[in-house]
Amino acid sequence: MSPAPRPLGRVLLTGVPGWLTTAMLDSLRDQPPHGLTAVRCMVQPDFLPAARERPVQLPVPVEYVAADLRDDGSLAEAAKGVDTIFHAAGILHVRRTRDWYNINTAGTRRLLDGALAGGVTRFVNVSSNAAAGRSDSRERLLTEDDPPMPLSHYGRSKWLAEELLNAAADQIEVVNLRPCMFYGPPVPTRHVEIYKRIIHGKMPLVGSGDYARSLSHIDNLVQGCRLAMSHPAAKGETYYLSDRRTYTTKKVVEAMAAACGVAPRYLRLPAIVGPIAFAGDITLAAMQLYWQTLHLVGESHWHVGVSCEKAVRELGYDPKVEIDEGMKGAVEWCRRQGLLN
C-alpha cells in the first residue's frame, strides 16, 4: 500500500511566470493535489503588474508577490506563512559567470534562510543534471549514487545549491530534483528558434551525433515535481527526472524535424570541434566571461544520459511521454500560437 501523500498546505512557487511554473500552475488547476490550501507566486518585481492582470484560476486562493533572489528581505516576506516551497527560479544563460553563483547558489541560500525563519516544512529545489556532469560512455547512465562532477559554472552553481540545502536537512525537508533538457509546451523562445532553424536551415551536428542525451518532457517533469512535493519518501532525497528512454543527439534532431514535417538537414562538424570549444569555454570562464554558443558547442560531445529509475522505484514516477510524441505536441503548440508561420 502506498503511503498517504503529504498535504501541501500553502505553496510558494518561485520563478513565475516561467516555462515550468506555467505548466505547474496548469496542473494544479486541473488536478488539485492533496491538502493544497493556497498558492503564492513569486514574481520578479518588473513582471508583477502583468502577472496580476492575468491571474491564474485555481480552486484555492492565489496571490502574487514581488521578490528577487538577490534580496533577502523580499524572500523572507515571500516565504512567510508557507508550508511548501517549489523553487524553480534561477538563471541559465548569463553575461558573467559570477551571476550563476549569485543567483542560483546564493539566491537559494537566501530563500532557504527565509524558509527556515518562516517555518516552511518542505523545500523542493529544481536543480539540473548539469550538477552531476557527464557519463564516460553512451551505455552508462548517471545515477544519484554517482559523485557529482559538474563541468560548467552553471552546473557547479546548481550543485552548490543542492549542498547548502542538504546541510539544512535536520531543520527542513529537502528534495533536490535534477531534470534534463526541458521540452514541450509552453515552448520557450529559444526552442522556437531551434524549430525555425530546422525548418529553414541546417542544424549543427558534431561528429556522428551518437552521444547520449536524456530529455525531460514537460508532462513527465510536472508529474515528478508534484510527487516530490507530496510523497513522504522524497524527504532528504535527490532524483533525476527524465523521459524513461535515453536518446542520442541525432535522434533528438530527427524527432524535431519529423515534428516540423521536414527531413533533417545537418551542418556537419568534425568531432574535435567539441573539445576545442570546451577548452575555449573554460578559458573565457576564467576571465568571468560567457559566450552561449561556445558553451553549448563545448558540451556537444558529452554523454549526458541519466537513469530515472530511483524516482520510478521510490515515488511511483511513471514518465509516459517520449520524444516523438512530445516534439510533435510542442511543434503543434507553436503553430497554434503562430510562432512558426
Side-chain angles (χ1 to χ4, degrees):
M1 180 180 297
S2 299
R6 169 188 172 273
L8 269 60
R10 182 182 292 271
V11 174
L12 171 67
L13 298 183
T14 76
V16 178
W19 182 80
L20 175 55
T21 52
T22 297
M24 178 64 76
L25 285 167
D26 288 345
S27 174
L28 296 180
R29 177 197 63 209
D30 297 339
Q31 295 180 304
H34 172 68
L36 178 68
T37 59
V39 174
R40 180 179 294 166
C41 298
M42 192 181 105
V43 183
Q44 283 277 357
D46 291 346
F47 299 135
L48 185 61
R52 284 177 169 164
E53 285 177 5
R54 297 186 297 274
V56 65
Q57 299 299 317
L58 296 181
V60 296
V62 180
E63 64 176 318
Y64 292 84
V65 297
D68 191 298
L69 288 175
R70 294 163 293 189
D71 177 35
D72 299 73
S74 65
L75 294 174
E77 283 298 313
K80 188 178 295 183
V82 167
D83 303 292
T84 305
I85 288 181
F86 180 75
H87 179 38
I91 191 166
L92 179 58
H93 297 297
V94 298
R95 300 188 65 179
R96 301 280 182 174
T97 56
R98 60 175 171 265
D99 295 338
W100 279 312
Y101 297 101
N102 189 29
I103 295 173
N104 293 344
T105 308
T108 300
R109 176 189 54 76
R110 297 182 188 105
L111 182 60
L112 173 63
D113 290 343
L116 294 175
V120 175
T121 56
R122 179 167 289 194
F123 192 122
V124 177
N125 174 48
V126 181
S127 182
S128 168
N129 68 309
R134 62 182 178 184
S135 178
D136 52 13
S137 72
R138 192 183 72 178
E139 293 73 26
R140 184 184 178 282
L141 303 181
L142 293 171
T143 73
E144 295 83 353
D145 292 331
D146 290 315
M149 293 188 292
L151 295 170
S152 66
H153 284 285
Y154 169 74
R156 182 172 171 79
S157 73
K158 286 292 195 176
W159 170 63
L160 290 174
E162 291 183 12
E163 290 293 284
L164 67 87
L165 287 168
N166 289 335
D170 60 337
Q171 303 173 72
I172 188 172
E173 295 183 3
V174 170
V175 188
N176 285 304
L177 303 178
R178 292 178 180 171
C180 303
M181 188 184 83
F182 303 166
Y183 70 109
V187 179
T189 301
R190 63 184 182 275
H191 290 186
V192 174
E193 294 305 313
I194 293 174
Y195 296 141
K196 288 181 178 178
R197 178 186 288 271
I198 285 176
I199 294 170
H200 302 294
K202 296 182 178 181
M203 279 294 289
L205 187 73
V206 174
S208 66
D210 196 29
Y211 305 106
R213 287 289 181 274
S214 286
L215 273 62
S216 303
H217 185 267
I218 185 62
D219 290 354
N220 298 334
L221 181 54
V222 167
Q223 179 205 151
C225 291
R226 288 176 57 122
L227 287 167
M229 288 194 290
S230 63
H231 203 295
K235 173 184 175 182
E237 298 294 340
T238 297
Y239 296 100
Y240 286 112
L241 295 180
S242 66
D243 294 0
R244 193 180 293 271
R245 189 159 61 96
T246 302
Y247 315 113
T248 64
T249 308
K250 193 172 183 181
K251 172 60 183 174
V252 172
V253 176
E254 289 172 349
M256 290 190 288
C260 292
V262 301
R265 291 168 292 183
Y266 298 110
L267 174 62
R268 293 188 177 274
L269 301 171
I272 193 62
V273 167
I276 291 173
F278 181 54
D281 187 38
I282 292 175
T283 301
L284 286 184
M287 297 183 285
Q288 285 291 308
L289 299 175
Y290 173 73
W291 179 16
Q292 178 180 337
T293 301
L294 188 69
H295 176 79
L296 294 175
V297 174
E299 297 178 344
S300 62
H301 63 296
W302 296 358
H303 294 293
V304 285
V306 307
S307 170
C308 63
E309 287 308 306
K310 179 181 176 182
V312 171
R313 182 177 65 253
E314 296 185 0
L315 305 182
Y317 177 57
D318 185 17
K320 296 183 182 300
V321 183
E322 294 199 345
I323 193 168
D324 293 315
E325 174 192 353
M327 287 297 179
K328 182 179 178 181
V331 170
E332 288 175 349
W333 183 90
C334 290
R335 295 194 188 282
R336 289 196 300 271
Q337 303 299 316
L339 300 176
L340 298 179
N341 297 338

